[in-house]
Amino acid sequence: MEGGLEMSSSEERGLSRRAVLRTGAVTGAAAAGAMAASGRAVAATGGAGSSQAGGGDPGRRTSPAEDLILFNGRIHTMDAAQSVASVLGIRQGLVVYVGSSLGQARQQFTDQPRAIDLEDRMALPGLIDCHNHIVLMGNRPGHHTPLENAQNIADVQALYAARAATLQPSANPPTSAADFITTIGGFSTNQFAETRLPTLTELDAAVPGHPVYISEGFTGPSATNTLGKAFFENVPSPVGPIAVGADGSIAAAPFLGSGPTSQATLALRQTLTFDDRKRSVRDAMAYAASVGVTTHLDQGAFQATNTPADGSAHEDNYTMHLPFLAVYAEGEQRDVEPAVEAAIRLRINYLLFDSDPSIPVATARIQNAFPFFGNDLVKNGAAGEFLADIFHYAGGNPTWMNAALEAAKAGWRAEVHSLTPADFQSEIAGFEAVNAQIPITGLRWVVAHVPFITPDYVARLHELGGGVNLTAYEYFGTANPGGPPYRMLVDSGIPVGLSSDGMQIAPMNPWIHAYYATTGLNALGNQINPGQQLTRAEVLEHFTSANRWFLGGQDEDLLGTLEVGRLGDVVVLNDDFFAVADTDLRKLHSVLTVLGGRVVHSGGIQYWA
Ligand SMILES: [Zn+2]
C-alpha cells in the first residue's frame, strides 16, 4: 500500500467536524480539502501495486469501486430486521462488513483502507428517488441554483451571492446562459415568507455582477435583475425581444403556449453548448449527493419543439442524456482532479410520446432498446412516465393502448402518471384491458402521483401486480385534500414508492417530501392532507428498501439496504432523522455521501439556512 497517502481517522474526524460546523466560504474550503483528500485516496488505491482496489483496473467496472470503512456511526442498514450497525466495511465498492467491530471490518482487507469516524451520526443507504427528472435539471441553461430549501427572499439572496462567488465574471452585457445564475423550477413562492418572487432591486443587491433568471414551475412567472433585463430585452426576433417589467418581472406563459417566460427560457437554451450541459449535469449530481439521493429513476421530458411553446419540462428525449453519458465517461478517468464527476446512479425511463395510433416513437424505442441494460452507474429502465403524448395519455386511448400492448409484448416495465380524479380510472382500466390480451401481472406496471386514487382502484391495480409511486408536488399547492393518500396506500399492501417528481413542479429534496408525508403541511404551513400521514420509519423504508421494487433488474439485489454484497452507497446526515423537530426535517442533508465506497460529497455550497 502507499501508506503515506492514507489518512488517519483523526484527520478524518477533523474534516468532518469542520464540514458540519462551519458555514459559507469556510465550509467550502473544508469541502475542497475533503475532495482533495478523496482524490489522494483514489490515487492511493488506484496506483500500480494496489492489491485489491477496483480503481487499479479502470475499465473493468465503470462504477466507483473503492475501499472504505465507516465507524462509530448509527448506521441504519434498512435490512429486513431493521438492524443498526456502528461499523461498515466497503471493498471494491461493495459492502463486505456490517457490524460493530472495527477490527473485524479491517480483517476484510489486505491493506488498511481509509476509515472515517462518523462521530455517532446517523447514516443510511443512499436514497432512491424512483420518479424524477434529473436529466432535465442537468440540461438547464445557466448556473442552475436550487432554491428548494430557501425560506424567504433573504435566503435566496444569500444562495445567489454564494453562487456568484464561485463564478467567473459575467460579460457586460451578458451574451449567453453561461453568464447567468438561474433557478428554473423546483421551488414555489409559497415557500418564501413573502410569497412572491424577488424583485430586480433585491436581485441586484445580491448579485450585482451576474445576470439572474428565476422562474417558477413549468411556465413561470419569472424575475430577473438589471443585467438579465438587458439581455432579455435585446434578444432578437423571432424569440425576442422579451418583455421585462421595471421591477424585473417576466410574465408567465400559458402551458404549451408562448409567453414572456417561455421566450426567456428558450432564449437562454439557444445559447447552450454541450460543455454547458455537462457542467449542469455535474451541478445536478452534486446537489443530489448533497441531499442524499444516490439513485435516480428519470422519467423523461415533454418532447422539445424549440419554440416558445416549450416550458421548463421540455427537452429533446433523443439527445438530453448525452451530456450525462459524457460525464459518466469522463468520470472513469482516474487522473482527473477531482476524480469524482459522476456522483449519482442514473436509471433512464423512456417517455413515449406518440400522438398517432401507429406509434412510431414507441415502436422504435421498444424494438431498439433493452430494459435494465447498462452498468451499476447508468442503465435503462423501461417506459415512463407516459405511454402516449400529453393529449393521448388517458388509459384506453387507441394510441396509449397500442403503446401499452407493445410494451407488454416486449415484457417491459411501464409507468404512467395520474393527476386528476379521473385519469387513474382510465389508466387502471387500460392496464386491465392490456392484461386481458397479454399478461402484465409479472411486469410491475406503475401509476405515479395518484393524489385522488380510491381503495377500489388500488385493489384493482394490486391485482394486476402493479404499484404506486408517490410524489409530493402537492406540498407547493393549496388543494385540500392534496393527497396522495399515503396512509391508505401503505395500509393497502400495494407496493408503494416514494419519489420527488423534481425538478420543475416539485423539489428533489427527499427531506421536504419526508416533512410533507409525515405532517400533511404544505409550504404555507397549512394542513392539506388530513389523516394520511406516514411515520418517519415508513418514509425511510419507502425511500430505500421498498423503492428497490420500482427499480427492478439487478438493482433489487444491489441497492436500497446496507447488507453484505450490496453496493456501498451511504449517506451520513447532519442530524438525527428520528429526533429532529418536524420543521427541521426539511433542513436535513448529507454531510458525507459515499457512492460505491467513494466519497462524492462532503461539503460544497450550503443550501440550508
Ligand atoms: Zn414526473
Side-chain angles (χ1 to χ4, degrees), residues 75-419:
I75 303 167
H76 291 249
T77 65
M78 303 310 294
D79 67 2
Q82 300 293 313
S83 311
V84 180
S86 59
V87 181
L88 186 77
I90 300 168
R91 191 179 66 217
Q92 297 185 44
L94 296 170
V95 175
V96 291
Y97 177 82
V98 187
S100 58
S101 165
L102 184 57
Q104 284 181 24
R106 288 196 192 282
Q107 286 171 16
Q108 304 297 323
F109 302 85
T110 55
D111 55 4
Q112 188 183 335
R114 186 183 184 193
I116 299 178
D117 182 352
L118 299 187
E119 300 175 305
D120 200 36
R121 292 189 188 284
M122 181 172 174
L124 304 166
L127 268 56
I128 299 166
D129 185 344
C130 55
H131 182 122
N132 75 27
H133 300 276
I134 193 172
V135 174
L136 276 163
M137 188 182 185
N139 279 274
R140 290 272 194 267
H143 298 269
H144 177 77
T145 303
L147 294 178
E148 301 178 353
N149 314 293
Q151 314 253 337
N152 51 49
I153 286 171
D155 287 352
V156 175
Q157 290 176 308
L159 277 164
Y160 282 173
R163 184 67 147 160
T166 68
L167 303 180
Q168 300 290 318
S170 165
N172 188 356
T175 56
S176 79
D179 289 325
F180 271 75
I181 292 173
T182 55
T183 304
I184 300 178
F187 73 97
S188 164
T189 50
N190 282 349
Q191 79 194 50
F192 302 152
E194 299 86 351
T195 62
R196 62 169 174 81
L197 290 170
T199 63
L200 176 142
T201 307
E202 289 164 342
L203 292 171
D204 276 348
V207 189
H210 290 84
V212 174
Y213 176 59
I214 171 173
S215 184
E216 191 174 4
F218 285 138
T219 56
S222 308
T224 190
N225 62 352
T226 297
L227 279 171
K229 191 172 193 289
F231 174 86
F232 290 124
E233 289 178 338
N234 287 296
V235 172
S237 180
V239 176
I242 294 157
V244 180
D247 61 352
S249 61
I250 300 174
F255 186 60
L256 302 180
S258 179
T261 282
S262 59
Q263 291 173 275
T265 301
L266 179 61
L268 293 175
R269 279 183 172 147
Q270 287 184 331
T271 69
L272 270 173
T273 67
F274 193 72
D275 279 344
D276 291 338
R277 291 179 193 266
K278 286 199 305 186
R279 190 201 61 233
S280 281
V281 167
R282 294 187 184 101
D283 284 349
M285 289 179 168
Y287 180 71
S290 80
V291 292
V293 182
T294 52
T295 299
H296 300 247
L297 175 52
D298 187 82
Q299 302 274 354
F302 296 135
Q303 180 59 30
T305 63
N306 300 315
T307 73
D310 293 351
S312 65
H314 285 72
E315 253 299 340
D316 186 333
N317 284 282
Y318 299 108
T319 59
M320 68 183 187
H321 305 103
L322 299 179
F324 276 81
L325 299 182
V327 166
Y328 280 120
E330 289 170 11
E332 294 171 48
Q333 297 172 18
R334 299 310 175 94
D335 54 350
V336 174
E337 281 287 341
V340 179
E341 304 237 87
I344 59 145
R345 304 184 192 277
L346 178 65
R347 308 294 182 251
I348 299 167
N349 264 4
Y350 295 118
L351 188 146
L352 306 180
F353 49 87
D354 284 300
S355 53
D356 184 321
S358 67
I359 58 163
V361 172
T363 303
R365 279 290 194 206
I366 293 168
Q367 286 183 347
N368 293 294
F370 303 105
F372 309 138
F373 184 76
N375 59 47
D376 291 348
L377 212 45
V378 54
K379 67 172 73 166
N380 295 345
E385 63 176 296
F386 280 48
L387 286 167
D389 81 1
I390 194 162
F391 303 108
H392 300 81
Y393 86 93
N397 173 287
T399 303
W400 185 99
M401 195 66 191
N402 288 345
L405 284 167
E406 211 56 39
K409 233 183 285 178
W412 276 39
R413 181 84 47 98
E415 179 159 345
V416 297
H417 87 187
S418 162
L419 304 176

Side-chain angles (χ1 to χ4, degrees), residues 583-602:
T583 48
D584 290 334
L585 277 174
R586 293 173 295 185
K587 295 182 183 175
L588 287 174
H589 55 273
S590 172
V591 294
L592 183 81
T593 304
V594 172
L595 195 80
R598 195 186 298 184
V599 174
V600 294
H601 165 79
S602 62

